[in-house]
Every structure is written in C-alpha cells, then in structure tokens.
Amino acid sequence: MTIISPLEPQRLYQACNPEQFTFQTTAELTDLAEIIGQARAMDAVRFGSGIRHEGYNLFVLGSPGMGKHSLVRQFLEEKASKEPESADWCYINNFTQPHKPKMLRLPAGKGEELRMQMERVVDYLRSAIPALFESEEYRDRVNAIQQEYNELQERDIRQLGEEAEKKEIVLLRTPEGFALAPSRNREVIPPEEYDKLPQSEKERIEAAITELQTHLEKMLSHLPQRRRERSERIKQVGRDIMLSTVEHLLNELRVIYASLPDVLDYFDAVQQDMVAHVDDFRKPDESVNVSGMTVVTHQTFSNYQINVLTSNHKKSGAPIVSEDNPIYSNLIGRVEHIAQLGALVTNFMLIKPGALHRANGGYLLLDVRKVLLQPFAWEGLKRALQSSKIHIESLGQIYSLVSTVSLEPEAIPLDVKVVLFGDRLFYYLLQAYDPEFSELFKVAADFEETIERNAESHLLYAQLISTLSRKEGLLPYDRYAVARVIEHSARLVGDSEKLSMHMRSIADLLREADYWAREAGQDVVRVNDVQQAIDAQVRRQDRIRDRLYEAIMRGTLMIDTQGGVTGQVNGLSVIELGGFAFAQPTRITATTRFGKGDLINVEREVKLSGAIHSKGVLILSAFLAARYARNQPLALSASIAFEQTYGMIEGDSASLAELCALLSNLAMVPINQSLAITGSVNQFGQVQAIGAVNEKIEGFFDICAARGMTGAQGVLIPTANVQHLMLRKNVVEAVAAGNFRIYAVENVDQAIALLTGLPAGEVDANDQYPEGSVNYLVATQLTELTKISKSLQQGGKN
C-alpha cells in the first residue's frame, strides 16, 4: 500500500499574486461595465423583463446579500428609461351612482393638469355665481316673471270682482283671504238690512254667492300651480345663467382634451350636475362661533375634484416601484374613511393607491418572504395578476367584518411586470404547493453564489472592488490589498478555485478596511488594513469559540492531542452561530463485543441523532458486514458515541472517524491521539468530501498550538477536499516548519494506517489479509466471535 505523505504547504493556500496586476491602486481602474459571474441570471432577467405575455413575471433566486436587488434594479432602470411613460390613473365622481366611482386614464402628466383645471373652474364658479345672481340683469328677469304672475292673479281677481258686481255682490279682501258679501250701490248691505230683504231676494243673493264662491275656489286652486310655474321659471333663469357660465368654462377645456372621449363625457356629466345644483354655488360661507372662536365653513365641492392616484410624469420612462411593507392595502390600495357626527363616511377622494397602481405600466419589485408573511397579500397579488385588473376592496368589506358605508371603485386595468426576490427554498416550495405560482411566475433568474477563480476573474474582481469603493466613497486599495480581498473571498466560499459573489460580505470588508486605513492616517488601503478588518470581524464573534477551547484546555471537555488510545479518535464537527463558523473537536469512542450484528448509535437511541448522521452509521454496519463477514454471520455488537455532546448530531462527516474507532477497537490497536480526522465514508470504504474543511483543520490546530506543538500532530481530510483548502497563515507556516501535518486520504485503509501506524493490509487471492495488518486483526477477531456464536448454537442444540 502506498505510504501517504503530508500535503505540501503550497497546497494549503492558493495565494493571489499581486504582481499579476498592472495597476498600483484601484483609483487607476474604471468602473465595472459588466455584471460578473451572473450571465445565466441576467439573461433570464433580460428575457423576463422583455417578453410581454401574461404570466411571464420574474422570480429572482439566491441567498441574501448577493446583491440581486441592486443588480436587477440597475438593469431595469436602464431598460425602463427607454420605455414610454405610464399613463396617469384617476378616479372621478360617478354622478349617477356615487358609490361606484369611475376610473379615468390620461396621458402622463395630464392627471395633475386636469385636477388643477377643475379646481380653478370650481373656484371661479364659487365667486362668480353669487355675483351673477346679485346682478341687475338677474333681478330684472326675476321681477319680470313675478310681475307677470302677479298681473295674471290680479286679472283673475278683477274679472271675478266684475262678475260679482253685476250680481250685486262685492268681492272683499281680508287678512284671512277673500270673502263675498251682498251689496247695494257697491256698498255692503248691513246684516240688519239684509234680514229685512224679501225671501226671494235672499235666495237670489245666496245662489249668486254660491256660484261666485265656486269660481273663487277654482281661481284659488290654480294659484299653487302658478307659484310652482313661477318658481320653476325663476330657477330656469338661474340654470340658464349657470349653464352659460359653466359651458363657457368647460368649452375651453373641451378644446384641450378633444382627443380624450372619456374626459369629454366627464365634462358633460359635470356640466349637467353643476346646472342641476346651481343653488349650492349661491350659498354663502357659513360662520359658526365655537368657544369664542369664529369658524368659517364653506362648500368643498369635492364631487367635482379629480383624485389622481398615480402620476409618473416627473421621471421619464416606465416606473420602477419597490414596496418594503407589502401589506394587502399597500399592494392593492384602500378606501379611507373619516368620522362625521359619530359615523364613518367616505367618498371617491379618499381612495388611495397601492404599489400595483404606482407600478402600473412598469415594474414592481417585492421580497417574497415579506409578501408571504402578510395576511391576504399573496392572494391579493395573485388575484390582480390573474385578472389583469386592480380591484380595490377592503378586507373588512370582503369578509363582512364591518358595516360602514364603503365604495366600489371601478377596476383599473393592470399591466405590470412583477419581480419577486427570495431564497431558493421559497421558489421551490411555491412551485410544489401553489399550483397558480408556475402560471404567474414563469421566469426564474438563479444567481450564482461563486465564480471561477482565474487571472481574468482576478482582474474583474479588482474592478469590482474599485467600483464598490468609488460608490461607497472609500479610499482606493493598493494591489496587495486587492490580492488579500480576493484570497479572503475564496476563503468565504471554502474553495481555493472559486470566488464569492456575496456582495454584502465583500462590501462590509471593504468598508471596515477603509475604517482602519483612515484610523492609521493613510490615503490608501493596504494589505495590513484588510487583514486587520478580517481579524476584527472574527474577534467580534469568537467569544463562544474561546470559551469552548478554554473548556478543552482545562480538561472539562476531554480531548487528547498526544498518546494512543484503542477505540477512541478525535472527530471534527462545526458550529455556525450568526454567520461565524468554528470547529469543535469531539471525542468519538467505539466499543465492540460478542453479539448478533447490532451496531448501536448512542445518539440515535436517545433521539439526538439527525437522519443523515443515522444514515452514516448504518453505512458503517453495511461496510463491516461486506468486508469482514461476507461468508459468515457478523457475530458482533458494537456501540458508537460522541462523548460530552448534549445537543443534536447531524451530518455524516464523522462517519470515517466512527469507522476508524470501530476498527481500532476490534483490532485492539491504539489510535494516535495526535491526529484528528474528518470525512464521510460509503459502503465501499471510499472517503467522500465534507464541508467546512478549513474551519475543522484550524480548530484542531488551535488546540494543539495552545498545548504545545510536538511535530506529530495533524489532521486527516478527504482527498476531494484538498481543492477547498484556504487555511490561515499560521497553520500554513506550522506545516512548512514541520510542526503540523495535513494528510489527504482516499479510503478507510489509508486513514486507519495513518492513525494506528500499522499497515491496513490488502486482501490476497485467497481472500486473506497479511498478518500484523489492521484488517487481519479485525478479521481474526470477527472470526473468533463467529466461532463463539457457532459453539453456543451447537451447545444449545445438545
């Protein structure tokens, strides 16, 4: 078997050579003109924002901090600036059904113009109409009408009086009205003389009075109708004056808006309503004394106002709207109410727009998590996109929770491109559980978290640093500092061949390095400033790690870094808290004994083992049976435990360490405690890659360094993880000095040989292992256990 040598120092850290750069500082570089590493995602954004069919809205996938929102908005702003301006959307009064306001679409900027023009019309009429009704022309026309009706009344009375006179009856006017009385020589006959008249004369007089009374009553019955006619004619005079004035004003506006039929129809409705309600303009302002203060109230004439929901003429191009608080009413709009005399009332002027209104004709940017967290917001958004209309409805009205008077505004046509931002988890969950989601969001823009690391990407990254520095107003970076940022970027992704595209982390590092450079009074950020910023970030978050390592140093947590122990190995796990990850060396022990092939996972038995960890332990059982007990029963019982751990254990990165501990105990061969090991193993004994390899190595190194280096200490890692190594400088220096070793192993045989110092042993043609090898000792032990099992079975039969 090939002897495994420690990795050479140059394989532990892929440095970025500053000499490859031709610039001295980033001040010499131009801003980045392209979006690096996101060609796939930006092609999707370009396609999704360009196609104008229903359902082709975008979902931008990626982890938080990738800069997705900034990149997409930057692209959309450039695209939207070349697109036509969106229309103005307004609500106007519905004069026939006031509870159903009408919507009005106007060219960009015309909404505000129309609103101000209607305000000027109303303001003019409020002052002009009272003056017109006080004019001499109006009084003359009214007086003429009144005189005409007075003359008609006097004529009728005169005719009745003449008819009465012919019959020797006189028509009298009294405070109570009209009265008829007998007369002689046009003088009323006194009662005592009337009594002396002959009976025939009395009968004649009574008959004449009865006839005249009938004529009088008929004449009086016509008076209310004449009064109504007179009143209507006077009102018509007022309407004629109002019509003449209003028509003159609105005709001027009709010329301006001649190309907009809906506006012309609105002017006709306004003109008709103003003429019908001319008296409202005649009412003077009323003053009320409240607690010694005079409050003047006047008619608002809000029914003639224009409620301009959206107007985007102040900025050229299509609108781009980001809604940070996407509650239902902020998305769809709302109808507000005001309190009047203890009741809640509303009108069309209290209709308020939502984000969909403001983005109509353009782009609406939303965080999917925030939308999903708000009650009814997601359903409301989908309903608007499906119907291509915005229906403003209050939730209380929809669910009959309130009984206040509300409105039913006419729906506004919707033409918007919605861009949702969120984690991949949200995208795939919505795809799986919301059947409408795939119909509405057909374009996914998946942002890369890493890019390939090469000379070309190094230069692009330098331009990125230059662009961010200039945008943030930071000091320029020299090329050595740029190289250190690139190296740290590779460390962030845990891969020496990749660079991070997590823009938030990079921008934070640039700002903090700038701070330390300014503290030192420098005009350029240098490599020491970048390193100080990195160290400071770690220092702010490593309190728990320090306490954990302190417990190991004091012996509270038992971790050996010297000597040899059978069935015991140093495993490496990782704890991540608040974005800061560090390794926790853990003692893993295994015990074996005669049994029936049971492999006990202590953590699983007490429900502290995750599914992946339990899977890894089951794989160990399959490996042991396949290698050592192919032709015989596995008469073994074993148990594996993570010592001094009291939380959940998840992942299979310790399965190689667990297998080595088992083999050590079976072979009764001690494991060198100077070494720690990490890696997962499959059923064939091959070692597979794991995550956080850099943190795991550094964690065991820190414990060894604190206790004192012996030169024998080191870590075993999977060969597949060598490409991910970006270790700290002090670890690389210790390896170069021969004080620490890092081994890359491909299979369990290489690992057990390094841990025990004995050859693992390869099986020969006779299916036998060489004597003295670990595999031989394991196989021998299992054979002995099998013999015991058979002996017990035979004894039981006898």
Side-chain angles (χ1 to χ4, degrees):
M1 181 176 291
T2 305
I3 298 175
I4 304 299
S5 300
L7 295 176
E8 299 173 351
Q10 57 268 28
R11 302 188 66 185
L12 308 181
Y13 188 87
Q14 299 301 316
C16 176
N17 184 8
E19 301 302 327
Q20 67 181 299
F21 300 127
T22 58
F23 61 89
Q24 295 300 319
T25 72
T26 54
E28 303 171 24
L29 299 176
T30 58
D31 284 345
L32 195 63
E34 58 182 304
I35 301 172
I36 62 174
Q38 303 295 356
R40 179 191 290 108
M42 293 312 297
D43 285 345
V45 172
R46 192 174 293 106
F47 167 77
S49 62
I51 188 170
R52 289 295 174 183
H53 291 280
E54 291 185 5
Y56 282 87
N57 297 293
L58 288 112
F59 194 110
V60 181
L61 299 78
S63 303
M66 297 288 297
K68 308 182 298 296
H69 196 282
S70 299
L71 292 177
V72 172
R73 188 178 184 96
Q74 178 182 342
F75 171 82
L76 291 179
E77 285 178 347
E78 182 178 353
K79 184 177 187 299
S81 64
K82 303 172 185 176
E83 296 178 355
E85 296 178 349
S86 61
D88 287 358
W89 292 99
C90 310
Y91 272 113
I92 56 176
N93 187 30
N94 184 342
F95 294 101
T96 57
Q97 293 180 296
H99 70 288
K100 293 184 176 181
K102 294 181 178 181
M103 65 87 181
L104 190 64
R105 177 176 181 171
L106 297 171
K110 292 296 184 180
E112 287 294 334
E113 289 183 13
L114 180 60
R115 181 184 65 80
M116 291 187 291
Q117 286 163 344
M118 288 304 299
E119 286 180 355
R120 285 195 290 267
V121 166
V122 171
D123 287 343
Y124 174 78
L125 291 176
R126 285 178 57 194
S127 59
I129 295 304
L132 288 173
F133 279 83
E134 295 295 328
S135 65
E136 187 148 342
E137 177 188 358
Y138 173 76
R139 286 199 298 269
D140 289 345
R141 293 179 64 179
V142 170
N143 290 337
I145 293 172
Q146 290 177 338
Q147 184 175 354
E148 178 183 345
Y149 278 91
N150 290 338
E151 289 176 354
L152 283 174
Q153 183 175 338
E154 289 298 325
R155 184 194 64 188
D156 291 344
I157 293 173
R158 186 172 59 253
Q159 289 176 353
L160 183 62
E162 291 174 354
E163 183 180 352
E165 185 177 349
K166 291 177 183 178
K167 298 179 179 181
E168 294 184 340
I169 303 296
V170 64
L171 179 64
L172 302 174
R173 294 190 183 189
T174 68
E176 290 78 17
F178 292 94
L180 294 170
S183 66
R184 183 183 297 125
N185 299 324
R186 299 182 180 181
E187 295 291 335
V188 176
I189 299 175
E192 57 275 9
E193 292 185 15
Y194 179 78
D195 293 336
K196 297 177 182 180
L197 293 176
Q199 185 62 33
S200 59
E201 182 66 14
K202 289 180 180 180
E203 291 176 355
R204 184 192 67 78
I205 292 172
E206 289 176 0
I209 290 176
T210 300
E211 182 182 358
L212 291 174
Q213 183 70 35
T214 303
H215 291 172
L216 176 62
E217 290 175 356
K218 185 177 181 181
M219 181 192 72
L220 294 177
S221 67
H222 291 161
L223 290 181
Q225 180 181 355
R226 287 181 179 176
R227 291 193 188 101
R228 288 194 298 270
E229 291 176 356
R230 180 182 62 185
S231 176
E232 183 59 30
R233 286 183 62 184
I234 292 174
K235 287 181 180 180
Q236 187 60 44
V237 171
R239 287 194 289 266
D240 291 343
I241 292 175
M242 187 67 173
L243 176 62
S244 175
T245 307
V246 172
E247 190 173 33
H248 174 72
L249 291 173
L250 293 182
N251 281 343
E252 295 179 358
L253 298 182
R254 287 186 175 102
V255 174
I256 299 174
Y257 297 95
S259 60
L260 300 173
D262 290 342
V263 180
L264 298 181
D265 291 343
Y266 172 66
F267 288 154
D268 292 342
V270 168
Q271 177 176 305
Q272 183 178 354
D273 191 77
M274 284 183 169
V275 171
H277 296 86
V278 60
D279 289 341
D280 292 342
F281 290 89
R282 297 179 61 185
K283 294 177 182 178
D285 293 343
E286 298 178 356
S287 60
V288 180
N289 192 292
V290 179
S291 300
M293 298 177 60
T294 302
V295 179
V296 179
T297 61
H298 56 266
Q299 291 280 347
T300 59
F301 299 102
S302 60
N303 51 332
Y304 305 123
Q305 295 179 2
I306 306 293
N307 184 357
V308 182
L309 281 189
T310 61
S311 182
N312 299 298
H313 67 286
K314 294 181 180 178
K315 187 176 181 181
S316 61
I320 300 176
V321 176
S322 293
E323 180 54 63
D324 294 328
N325 184 28
I327 62 176
Y328 179 86
S329 58
N330 284 357
L331 282 178
I332 309 300
R334 63 191 184 278
V335 178
E336 295 183 345
H337 292 73
I338 57 176
Q340 284 186 358
L341 302 176
L344 292 176
V345 297
T346 186
N347 59 62
F348 75 98
M349 290 300 295
L350 295 176
I351 301 174
K352 303 301 178 183
L356 286 170
H357 294 96
R358 299 195 304 273
N360 205 0
Y363 305 89
L364 176 60
L365 281 53
L366 297 170
D367 186 311
V368 67
R369 179 178 175 273
K370 294 180 180 179
V371 176
L372 293 173
L373 283 175
Q374 299 299 332
F376 310 105
W378 177 244
E379 292 301 322
L381 176 63
K382 289 193 300 179
R383 186 163 57 249
L385 293 177
Q386 286 170 331
S387 64
S388 297
K389 292 181 179 179
I390 311 173
H391 294 268
I392 300 180
E393 298 175 288
S394 70
L395 294 175
Q397 184 180 0
I398 294 174
Y399 295 99
S400 301
L401 300 177
V402 295
S403 58
T404 55
V405 176
S406 191
L407 303 178
E408 300 175 23
E410 184 179 0
I412 290 179
L414 178 63
D415 177 21
V416 68
K417 188 73 69 172
V418 177
V419 183
L420 290 180
F421 296 86
D423 293 345
R424 294 179 178 86
L425 177 63
F426 287 113
Y427 178 78
Y428 294 118
L429 285 176
L430 288 170
Q431 281 278 10
Y433 294 106
D434 190 339
E436 298 170 335
F437 175 75
S438 57
E439 298 177 4
L440 298 175
F441 294 89
K442 297 183 178 182
V443 183
D446 199 347
F447 270 68
E448 297 282 356
E449 297 185 3
T450 63
I451 61 171
E452 293 293 330
R453 181 181 174 187
N454 50 45
E456 181 182 358
S457 62
H458 281 180
L459 182 57
L460 289 173
Y461 221 80
Q463 281 188 277
L464 175 63
I465 294 170
S466 173
T467 304
L468 290 174
S469 300
R470 202 170 285 121
K471 180 181 177 181
E472 296 281 340
L474 308 178
L475 296 173
Y477 280 64
D478 69 16
R479 55 181 178 175
Y480 297 96
V482 169
R484 184 66 188 95
V485 172
I486 291 174
E487 293 167 357
H488 182 67
S489 175
R491 172 58 189 263
L492 285 177
V493 297
D495 195 332
S496 63
E497 299 176 0
K498 302 282 187 180
L499 292 177
S500 172
M501 291 306 297
H502 195 269
M503 292 297 101
R504 183 191 301 164
S505 298
I506 300 302
D508 288 346
L509 178 62
L510 296 181
R511 297 186 193 103
E512 293 177 27
D514 172 83
Y515 169 81
W516 294 115
R518 293 180 188 273
E519 284 288 296
Q522 300 169 179
D523 56 359
V524 174
V525 179
R526 307 188 189 281
V527 65
N528 292 338
D529 303 315
V530 176
Q531 187 60 51
Q532 187 173 3
I534 295 171
D535 294 341
Q537 286 180 345
V538 173
R539 178 62 178 166
R540 291 196 296 268
Q541 303 180 78
D542 67 352
R543 186 189 66 83
I544 295 177
R545 183 185 68 175
D546 286 353
R547 299 292 78 78
L548 179 65
Y549 291 176
E550 179 185 346
I552 294 174
M553 297 304 299
R554 297 176 66 183
T556 306
L557 293 178
M558 294 185 291
I559 299 293
D560 293 333
T561 55
Q562 295 183 39
V565 181
T566 301
Q568 176 179 301
V569 68
N570 291 322
L572 298 171
S573 57
V574 169
I575 298 175
E576 184 171 356
L577 297 171
F580 176 64
F582 60 91
Q584 178 185 2
T586 305
R587 175 177 289 180
I588 299 173
T589 60
T591 60
T592 59
R593 56 202 171 276
F594 172 77
K596 297 181 180 180
D598 299 325
L599 181 57
I600 298 173
N601 174 7
V602 174
E603 272 66 37
R604 184 179 64 184
E605 295 300 317
V606 295
K607 298 182 180 180
L608 289 178
S609 175
I612 298 175
H613 177 250
S614 297
K615 173 187 175 183
V617 175
L618 292 175
I619 288 174
L620 302 187
S621 178
F623 170 80
L624 290 174
R627 172 173 280 196
Y628 303 109
R630 183 176 299 175
N631 301 317
Q632 63 185 27
L634 187 62
L636 167 73
S637 285
S639 63
I640 300 173
F642 279 65
E643 306 293 352
Q644 292 186 290
T645 59
Y646 308 102
M648 286 294 296
I649 304 295
E650 181 59 303
D652 63 351
S653 64
S655 59
L656 178 59
E658 293 168 328
L659 179 55
C660 290
L662 275 172
L663 296 177
S664 167
N665 191 273
L666 281 169
M668 297 303 291
V669 176
I671 288 178
N672 185 358
Q673 300 300 299
S674 298
L675 298 174
I677 184 169
T678 183
S680 69
V681 67
N682 62 22
Q683 294 188 102
F684 300 109
Q686 297 169 324
V687 178
Q688 303 167 142
I690 45 84
V693 64
N694 293 293
E695 289 80 2
K696 291 177 178 179
I697 294 172
E698 291 167 356
F700 190 68
F701 171 82
D702 289 339
I703 299 300
C704 294
R707 287 180 172 174
M709 292 295 201
T710 63
Q713 295 147 333
V715 176
L716 279 64
I717 65 170
T719 300
N721 282 119
V722 173
Q723 61 187 331
H724 303 140
L725 293 178
M726 286 294 293
L727 294 169
R728 288 197 317 249
K729 183 179 179 181
N730 59 343
V731 180
V732 177
E733 291 174 347
V735 171
N739 296 327
F740 197 74
R741 294 181 172 86
I742 299 173
Y743 299 93
V745 296
E746 297 179 355
N747 53 58
V748 65
D749 289 333
Q750 293 177 350
I752 197 65
L754 286 169
L755 290 172
T756 62
L758 296 178
E762 295 183 8
V763 69
D764 59 18
N766 298 321
D767 204 22
Q768 298 294 320
Y769 293 100
E771 291 189 19
S773 66
V774 175
N775 285 327
Y776 174 81
L777 296 173
V778 172
T780 301
Q781 177 65 17
L782 291 175
T783 301
E784 289 296 324
L785 293 175
T786 302
K787 290 179 181 178
I788 296 172
S789 176
K790 290 180 179 178
S791 175
L792 291 174
Q793 289 175 3
Q794 292 175 355
K797 292 178 181 179
N798 293 334

